[in-house]
Amino acid sequence: MTRSPLTAAAALLAGAACAPAFAQSSVTLFGVVDVNVGWIKNDESSWQLGTNGMATGRLGFRGIEDLGGGLRAGFWLEGEINPDTGTSTASYGNGDGAIGGFNFRRRSTVSLFNPWGEIRLGRDNTPTHWNWAVFDPFGTTGVGNAQNIAIDRQLTQGTGGVYGTLVRANNMASYVLPGGTAGSGLVGQLSVAAGEDAPGNKYAGGRIGYSAGPYNVAAAYAETWLTADNSVKAKVWNIGGWWDFGVVRVSGIYNQIDISGGGFPGSQQDNWFIGATAPLDLWRFNISWGDARGGGTISGNNATQFAISANYELSVRTALYAIYSTINNSGNAGYRVTNASSPLTPGHNSQGVQVGVRHIF
Amino acid sequence: MTRSPLTAAAALLAGAACAPAFAQSSVTLFGVVDVNVGWIKNDESSWQLGTNGMATGRLGFRGIEDLGGGLRAGFWLEGEINPDTGTSTASYGNGDGAIGGFNFRRRSTVSLFNPWGEIRLGRDNTPTHWNWAVFDPFGTTGVGNAQNIAIDRQLTQGTGGVYGTLVRANNMASYVLPGGTAGSGLVGQLSVAAGEDAPGNKYAGGRIGYSAGPYNVAAAYAETWLTADNSVKAKVWNIGGWWDFGVVRVSGIYNQIDISGGGFPGSQQDNWFIGATAPLDLWRFNISWGDARGGGTISGNNATQFAISANYELSVRTALYAIYSTINNSGNAGYRVTNASSPLTPGHNSQGVQVGVRHIF
Amino acid sequence: MTRSPLTAAAALLAGAACAPAFAQSSVTLFGVVDVNVGWIKNDESSWQLGTNGMATGRLGFRGIEDLGGGLRAGFWLEGEINPDTGTSTASYGNGDGAIGGFNFRRRSTVSLFNPWGEIRLGRDNTPTHWNWAVFDPFGTTGVGNAQNIAIDRQLTQGTGGVYGTLVRANNMASYVLPGGTAGSGLVGQLSVAAGEDAPGNKYAGGRIGYSAGPYNVAAAYAETWLTADNSVKAKVWNIGGWWDFGVVRVSGIYNQIDISGGGFPGSQQDNWFIGATAPLDLWRFNISWGDARGGGTISGNNATQFAISANYELSVRTALYAIYSTINNSGNAGYRVTNASSPLTPGHNSQGVQVGVRHIF
């Protein structure tokens, strides 16, 4: 390969003059479409045509370039799609808010890889979110996922901002181990996010995990500076794992959030769940039991969630699914099985069913 | 093919760790760019660089997966593009409103097909809109299309909502005949849309059609619940067809809308048009005459439209076109040949010319 | 090839019924991801994870169809992406404003080419902007680009509208010479934009340039009608060029803006810069010195900018870069090295560093 420092700039200008593109073959277009018929019972019951029961709908573009000498460069642009309305949400995380148009707020990063690991820059999942993503058999979406009763999802979903870093952060720089974010062997990352979107985006955290044979275990810790004067901090740590017994794989997580400082009276939440997933021919059965317990300003706002599901794989890419979930709230807790618009009186219960299809492309 | 219930979930996580994508070859990227120079005369005349003269500009991604045993899965994501400004409109239908950013509001669906038909879930055209799309030689866009004087387009365009289901609905589940939505032989569909975006999205309707040799005929009926208490209903039915005489193909439609109930005084509109299209070598000539007649609260708000056009195909994908259209309003009718911003005093006439290029990719 | 005037319309409808797409191979997906770690010092200093240091992040789709007989058709859809937040800006030019969702406001055009040149319709760069794009070694983005101290960027960035045509215009029709917009040999274009987005979009301008062997030179002129009554006009002209001495390529531009008419007291700005770029193996070093001088209502609002950078190409597609720039403001000039949110008191100085990676796909 001939390299010339003049070529790239020339190519960008030439591109502007309709020259053929190079490197076209390096881009992978990928996505998920997940639509379901749902019956949700909060204060009232309603039928819905909803999305994201088994996996979050998405459309993305990504690519890897081999630079030689063990060095690689890559990019990743991925946004959420909601086929029930054709719109896109802002994808939970820092800097949320109504966008409506398609965007790349699930992940938009550029990376450099070498044998020692990866430097990744841009908007991305925070390390503390990965244990939920890896260890919950219901994933991070749908009526059955354990985060339905986690503080971040219920208190701030849709309004964005303050605790957004529990899922994603803008302006983040990460070092990722050679094993990757979520693979096998030793995995993990260290991440810091600039506070330029203040308050609530300044973040520092990390995750370390190991999997081999039948087991997988990981722990993560992070701090987020929630106020412009940096006096109020949210500290999050969690540990998760699974053990695969062959017939069934049992998994669980323990997650603790503590918000304090700056004269703020302080609030805490402890979450745990235990789940199991059992493949049977083309079927897969999932079950999970979760618990949320508030402390400080949200003391007594507790909840439990029980979820069960069955998936049937028509192919590797296409699956049918049915999920049932019920949440038992106490105190002023008002957790719901979905973030749909139907309201729920605090302390009342929420339940729902989703029957749908997930198609990966 | 080896199928494993563990594979898909693993692939989604692995994807997140930069694994190569599978099934990349299954995605089709498609679209239309249609730009024209227009002269529009409403209360005042103006020159415009506009879009969507011959076909609506769009960009989409779709794919079909063969699951074996006659079963297939598919997805369809398609949004409108306006190359004159680089923005996207919300695509007429339920839940309109300014979005600006690109979205998939033309159609976003997931489907399962078997020999008995197709189950389709998501945002889509309503069955009652298809007769306009199939039988108007001017299609569903541009100064010449017959829906310029249909109540849905003029009373609610851009504001969205109430009569949006005359074109598209959110949260829709459809059963489509094996012949498809608009093909040859027996075609048609039954569709219901959940009312979760209330009011005005709760919809139930169907369409049945048949084409063979020189003729094509279809009829459709639908009801939309317009108010939160479901007391006011919009009922729409239409019938359309064409006969191909070889030299010329003659087509027409009759469409009736009736809005009543809940103490609402009621309004009706009857629309019909008759059109003809004649291919001649690489040319095609279109002509149509349409009529709109209001009843009830819009009694006396009548209009006629006359349109004529010539297209020249540089290739199957690329065509040049010139369209002229004039609308004669009476009473308080204020129908315009485009939805461009130039205002029109009710009862006055509107006319326009568009000369442009339509490019399919 | 068999051509039939019936085929294209049939294909659009058939497409709607899940027919296979034709011409799929004609679409090129392309883009740039550019992310950097920046240190910006305006009134206060701050660390940022930013974008667009070396090139503007973008995602686009384009294609060319050979129609035979020397005739070609093409389309170009390109929008800006900001991987630090996953959102998209509206891309500087006429009709700006917050969009947030992805859009095609960098360029969205359809073109017909023949041996005599190209007709191009849609939103596009204006001819007067091309000399900045071609002759500034820092391109049109990042802390080092010479337009940081040009009136258009500082007075109207983000608010859009009035002087938007200094970069892009909506509703534009252009004739481009066979040599293209920015290639070798004789290049240039004539462009007019309809004033339908009034005020400030009505534009007429042109550019002519020539390059051969070591030199490249071009001049451009344009007028924009800034008010609805067309009484206030912005006139812009510029001339730029480079000479390649082998070891170093020296370039410069002179740009003058004059706004007057309609009883408006009138304001002017003169800009020039001189720059040099030197490739050395896989390295490239850039340096530039720019000057801005206000007249009329902004008399005394002057500034100078000094910028220096080093790029290292890991491949043709992937480069690392470091840029330093400092702006010296006098009078009420408040030019900043980036348009980031950190404020600057008029007359004070601005400086910044960006260290990042640019990846072309």
Side-chain angles (χ1 to χ4, degrees):
Chain A
M1 188 180 68
T2 314
R3 290 175 178 174
S4 159
L6 286 168
T7 312
L12 282 178
L13 282 177
C18 289
F22 48 93
Q24 172 63 15
S25 60
S26 69
V27 180
T28 296
L29 191 160
F30 65 98
V32 174
V33 179
D34 182 317
V35 185
N36 56 68
V37 174
W39 176 86
I40 305 297
K41 185 175 180 322
N42 290 330
D43 285 343
E44 297 185 351
S45 66
S46 66
W47 288 94
Q48 302 181 350
L49 190 96
T51 57
N52 303 350
M54 189 170 162
T56 304
R58 69 195 76 173
L59 172 68
F61 307 90
R62 64 174 187 247
I64 296 284
E65 180 193 13
D66 194 331
L67 298 166
L71 201 59
R72 290 177 298 150
F75 76 99
W76 191 294
L77 299 168
E78 179 183 326
E80 185 170 340
I81 52 172
N82 302 129
D84 56 343
T85 58
T87 57
S88 296
T89 59
S91 292
Y92 190 72
N94 185 274
D96 278 5
I99 287 193
F102 183 66
N103 54 74
F104 295 107
R105 287 170 70 82
R106 278 184 59 82
R107 175 174 168 188
S108 54
T109 57
V110 63
S111 294
L112 288 173
F113 306 83
N114 78 4
W116 301 94
E118 171 192 357
I119 300 294
R120 189 189 294 178
L121 305 174
R123 177 177 173 91
D124 196 8
N125 279 301
T126 51
T128 28
H129 186 251
W130 273 104
N131 285 340
W132 293 99
V134 171
F135 297 114
D136 187 345
F138 293 83
T140 59
T141 190
V143 294
N145 95 87
Q147 288 178 91
N148 284 334
I149 57 170
I151 185 173
D152 52 311
R153 305 282 286 194
Q154 292 302 327
L155 293 193
T156 66
Q157 180 82 37
T159 65
V162 181
Y163 311 110
T165 56
L166 289 176
V167 180
R168 292 182 184 86
N170 288 338
N171 312 307
M172 194 157 73
S174 298
Y175 162 72
V176 184
L177 287 172
T181 303
S184 55
L186 185 68
V187 299
Q189 67 183 99
L190 282 173
S191 301
V192 293
E196 59 190 271
D197 278 345
N201 195 56
K202 193 174 168 186
Y203 172 95
R207 176 175 181 265
I208 186 90
Y210 189 75
S211 71
Y215 74 92
N216 188 346
V217 63
Y221 176 79
E223 301 192 357
T224 303
W225 287 259
L226 297 180
T227 51
D229 67 357
N230 290 331
S231 63
V232 181
K233 258 196 211 175
K235 299 176 190 170
V236 183
W237 68 268
N238 54 49
I239 183 167
W242 78 47
W243 193 284
D244 196 334
F245 297 95
V247 178
V248 62
R249 194 176 72 190
V250 177
S251 61
I253 195 173
Y254 183 83
N255 186 86
Q256 195 171 71
I257 305 174
D258 180 274
I259 298 167
S260 58
F264 183 67
S267 53
Q268 296 86 38
Q269 192 184 38
D270 290 8
N271 275 83
W272 59 260
F273 81 82
I274 184 161
T277 182
L280 184 65
D281 192 30
L282 299 178
W283 290 87
R284 170 186 287 274
F285 301 95
N286 296 317
I287 190 167
S288 87
W289 176 269
D291 184 277
R293 211 147 287 274
T297 60
I298 59 166
S299 183
N301 297 351
N302 304 331
T304 56
Q305 174 177 298
F306 170 73
I308 187 167
S309 74
N311 309 336
Y312 181 81
E313 297 227 325
L314 295 168
S315 76
V316 169
R317 294 168 50 199
T318 306
L320 305 178
Y321 62 83
I323 315 170
Y324 169 76
S325 175
T326 178
I327 293 174
N328 204 316
N329 288 300
S330 58
N332 279 315
Y335 300 112
R336 296 175 296 166
V337 292
T338 73
N339 296 295
S341 49
S342 69
L344 178 70
T345 306
H348 287 211
N349 298 339
S350 170
Q351 57 181 318
V353 175
Q354 289 176 322
V355 178
V357 54
R358 180 226 59 204
H359 179 67
I360 301 173
F361 59 89
Chain B
M1 189 180 71
T2 314
R3 290 175 178 175
S4 158
L6 287 169
T7 314
L12 282 178
L13 282 176
C18 288
F22 48 92
Q24 172 62 16
S25 60
S26 70
V27 180
T28 297
L29 191 160
F30 66 97
V32 173
V33 179
D34 181 318
V35 185
N36 55 70
V37 175
W39 177 84
I40 305 296
K41 186 177 180 318
N42 289 330
D43 286 342
E44 297 185 349
S45 66
S46 66
W47 287 94
Q48 303 181 350
L49 190 95
T51 57
N52 303 350
M54 189 170 162
T56 305
R58 70 195 75 173
L59 172 67
F61 307 90
R62 65 176 187 246
I64 296 283
E65 180 194 13
D66 195 330
L67 299 166
L71 201 59
R72 290 177 298 151
F75 76 99
W76 192 294
L77 298 168
E78 179 183 327
E80 185 169 340
I81 52 173
N82 300 130
D84 55 344
T85 59
T87 57
S88 295
T89 58
S91 292
Y92 189 71
N94 186 273
D96 278 7
I99 288 194
F102 183 64
N103 54 73
F104 295 107
R105 288 171 68 83
R106 278 185 59 82
R107 175 173 168 188
S108 55
T109 58
V110 63
S111 294
L112 289 172
F113 306 83
N114 78 5
W116 300 94
E118 172 192 357
I119 300 293
R120 190 189 294 178
L121 304 175
R123 178 177 171 91
D124 196 9
N125 280 300
T126 51
T128 28
H129 186 250
W130 274 104
N131 284 339
W132 293 99
V134 173
F135 296 114
D136 187 344
F138 292 82
T140 59
T141 190
V143 294
N145 94 88
Q147 288 178 91
N148 283 334
I149 57 170
I151 185 173
D152 52 312
R153 306 281 286 193
Q154 293 302 326
L155 293 193
T156 65
Q157 181 83 36
T159 65
V162 181
Y163 310 110
T165 55
L166 290 175
V167 181
R168 290 181 186 87
N170 288 338
N171 312 305
M172 194 157 72
S174 298
Y175 163 72
V176 184
L177 287 172
T181 302
S184 55
L186 184 70
V187 298
Q189 67 183 101
L190 282 173
S191 300
V192 292
E196 59 191 273
D197 277 345
N201 195 54
K202 193 174 166 186
Y203 172 94
R207 177 175 180 264
I208 186 90
Y210 189 76
S211 72
Y215 76 91
N216 188 347
V217 64
Y221 176 78
E223 301 192 357
T224 303
W225 286 258
L226 297 179
T227 51
D229 66 359
N230 290 330
S231 62
V232 182
K233 258 194 212 177
K235 298 175 190 171
V236 183
W237 70 268
N238 55 49
I239 183 167
W242 78 47
W243 192 282
D244 196 335
F245 296 96
V247 178
V248 62
R249 194 177 72 190
V250 177
S251 63
I253 196 173
Y254 184 83
N255 185 88
Q256 195 171 69
I257 305 174
D258 180 273
I259 298 167
S260 58
F264 184 68
S267 53
Q268 296 86 39
Q269 192 183 40
D270 291 7
N271 275 82
W272 59 260
F273 81 83
I274 184 161
T277 182
L280 184 65
D281 192 30
L282 298 178
W283 292 86
R284 170 187 285 273
F285 301 95
N286 296 319
I287 190 168
S288 87
W289 175 269
D291 184 277
R293 211 146 289 273
T297 60
I298 59 167
S299 183
N301 297 353
N302 304 331
T304 56
Q305 174 176 298
F306 171 73
I308 188 166
S309 74
N311 310 335
Y312 181 81
E313 297 227 324
L314 295 168
S315 77
V316 169
R317 294 168 49 197
T318 306
L320 305 178
Y321 61 84
I323 314 171
Y324 169 76
S325 174
T326 179
I327 293 175
N328 205 317
N329 288 300
S330 59
N332 279 316
Y335 301 112
R336 297 175 296 166
V337 293
T338 74
N339 296 295
S341 50
S342 69
L344 178 70
T345 307
H348 287 211
N349 297 340
S350 171
Q351 56 181 320
V353 174
Q354 288 175 322
V355 178
V357 55
R358 179 226 59 201
H359 179 66
I360 301 174
F361 59 91
Chain C
M1 187 180 69
T2 313
R3 288 176 179 175
S4 158
L6 287 169
T7 314
L12 282 178
L13 282 177
C18 287
F22 48 92
Q24 172 62 16
S25 60
S26 69
V27 180
T28 297
L29 192 160
F30 66 97
V32 173
V33 179
D34 181 319
V35 185
N36 56 69
V37 175
W39 177 85
I40 305 297
K41 186 178 180 320
N42 290 331
D43 285 343
E44 297 186 349
S45 66
S46 67
W47 288 93
Q48 302 180 351
L49 191 95
T51 57
N52 304 349
M54 188 171 163
T56 305
R58 71 196 75 175
L59 172 67
F61 307 90
R62 64 175 187 247
I64 295 284
E65 181 195 11
D66 195 329
L67 299 165
L71 201 60
R72 290 177 299 149
F75 76 98
W76 192 293
L77 298 168
E78 179 182 326
E80 185 169 339
I81 52 173
N82 301 129
D84 56 344
T85 58
T87 56
S88 295
T89 58
S91 291
Y92 189 71
N94 185 273
D96 278 6
I99 287 194
F102 183 66
N103 55 72
F104 295 107
R105 288 170 69 82
R106 278 183 59 82
R107 176 174 168 188
S108 54
T109 58
V110 63
S111 294
L112 288 173
F113 306 82
N114 78 3
W116 301 95
E118 171 193 356
I119 300 293
R120 189 189 294 178
L121 306 175
R123 177 176 173 92
D124 196 9
N125 280 300
T126 51
T128 28
H129 185 251
W130 274 104
N131 284 340
W132 292 99
V134 172
F135 296 113
D136 187 344
F138 292 83
T140 59
T141 191
V143 294
N145 94 88
Q147 289 178 90
N148 284 334
I149 57 170
I151 184 172
D152 52 311
R153 305 282 287 194
Q154 293 302 327
L155 293 193
T156 66
Q157 181 83 36
T159 64
V162 181
Y163 311 110
T165 55
L166 289 175
V167 180
R168 290 182 185 87
N170 288 338
N171 312 305
M172 194 157 73
S174 297
Y175 163 72
V176 183
L177 287 173
T181 302
S184 55
L186 184 69
V187 299
Q189 66 183 100
L190 283 173
S191 300
V192 293
E196 58 191 273
D197 277 346
N201 195 54
K202 193 175 167 186
Y203 172 94
R207 175 174 181 264
I208 186 89
Y210 189 77
S211 72
Y215 75 92
N216 187 347
V217 63
Y221 176 77
E223 301 192 355
T224 303
W225 287 259
L226 296 180
T227 51
D229 67 358
N230 290 331
S231 62
V232 182
K233 258 195 212 176
K235 298 175 189 171
V236 183
W237 70 267
N238 54 50
I239 183 166
W242 77 47
W243 192 283
D244 195 334
F245 297 96
V247 177
V248 63
R249 193 178 72 189
V250 177
S251 62
I253 196 173
Y254 184 82
N255 185 87
Q256 196 172 70
I257 304 174
D258 179 273
I259 298 166
S260 58
F264 183 70
S267 52
Q268 295 86 38
Q269 192 182 38
D270 290 8
N271 275 82
W272 59 259
F273 80 83
I274 183 160
T277 182
L280 184 65
D281 191 29
L282 299 179
W283 291 87
R284 170 187 286 274
F285 301 95
N286 296 317
I287 190 167
S288 87
W289 176 270
D291 184 277
R293 211 146 289 273
T297 59
I298 59 167
S299 184
N301 297 352
N302 305 330
T304 56
Q305 173 177 297
F306 170 73
I308 188 167
S309 74
N311 310 336
Y312 181 81
E313 297 227 327
L314 296 168
S315 76
V316 170
R317 294 168 50 198
T318 305
L320 305 178
Y321 62 83
I323 314 171
Y324 169 76
S325 175
T326 178
I327 293 175
N328 205 317
N329 288 300
S330 58
N332 279 315
Y335 300 111
R336 296 175 296 166
V337 293
T338 72
N339 296 295
S341 49
S342 70
L344 179 70
T345 305
H348 287 211
N349 298 339
S350 172
Q351 57 181 318
V353 175
Q354 289 174 323
V355 178
V357 55
R358 181 226 58 201
H359 179 66
I360 301 174
F361 59 90

